Amino acid sequence: MNMKNANPMRTQKPQTGMLAVFAGGCCGTFARVCVCVLAGVGFSHPGIILAINLAGSAVLGFSQTYMRANHPRLKQFVTSGFCGAFTTYATFVGILAALAAAPWLCALYAAVSLAGGVLCARAGQIAGTMARAHTSNHTATLQAGEASTADTDSSSPATRS
């Protein structure tokens, strides 16, 4: 098998993937703590956790769609690492347990969290698709410009002998 054509996921050491997820997790946890501290509320405030989970869903949707397969470690860093640690399922469940005494509020919080998460992830996917198309168009335009410049240079009198 020609190693130049090999799948990059198979040729890279698995430890680099674990390190990418670990580093992303450290950054995601730090970001969540910063948001809670800057908001001036506790680490399990329902409004802040909802905002964090919705924002994380949007980032996850965007990064899954926008990031190319040729950057698997960056994708692991952002998706599994950062988003996995930034968002917090355990705190979400803890909030639901705390709201169990008010079933309608508990159900409302769960519904808004889940439906909002799906909608934010979808919005992130749409944004990622648009950004990827824009990047692809921009790259194609640059490559076309370089090709026309090369054609012009090769046909100029100074370069002909």
Side-chain angles (χ1 to χ4, degrees):
M1 180 171 153
N2 184 354
M3 289 307 288
K4 289 182 181 179
N5 297 328
N7 181 344
M9 291 297 289
R10 282 193 232 157
T11 59
Q12 294 182 359
K13 295 181 180 176
Q15 295 87 348
T16 59
M18 289 185 290
L19 290 174
V21 172
F22 175 76
C26 291
C27 293
T29 301
F30 181 71
R32 181 167 31 112
V33 168
C34 288
V35 168
C36 292
V37 168
L38 290 173
V41 297
F43 296 112
S44 60
H45 186 274
I48 294 300
I49 296 303
L50 177 63
I52 286 170
N53 287 344
L54 294 178
S57 295
V59 171
L60 182 64
F62 179 86
S63 58
Q64 286 180 328
T65 306
Y66 180 73
M67 291 184 177
R68 301 181 192 292
N70 57 347
H71 296 295
R73 299 304 174 238
L74 178 60
K75 195 170 185 177
Q76 288 175 324
F77 174 90
V78 174
T79 59
S80 297
F82 182 86
C83 290
F86 182 64
T87 60
T88 171
Y89 182 75
T91 305
F92 166 70
V93 171
I95 291 168
L96 293 179
L99 294 174
W104 64 271
L105 186 57
C106 180
L108 178 64
Y109 188 84
V112 169
S113 294
L114 295 174
V118 170
L119 290 173
C120 286
R122 184 64 187 134
Q125 289 174 331
I126 291 168
T129 300
M130 291 170 57
R132 192 170 188 177
H134 176 73
T135 302
S136 296
N137 290 341
H138 183 68
T139 302
T141 302
L142 288 176
Q143 289 172 345
E146 289 171 3
S148 67
T149 302
D151 292 342
T152 304
D153 289 345
S154 66
S155 63
S156 69
T159 58
R160 281 187 269 153
S161 336

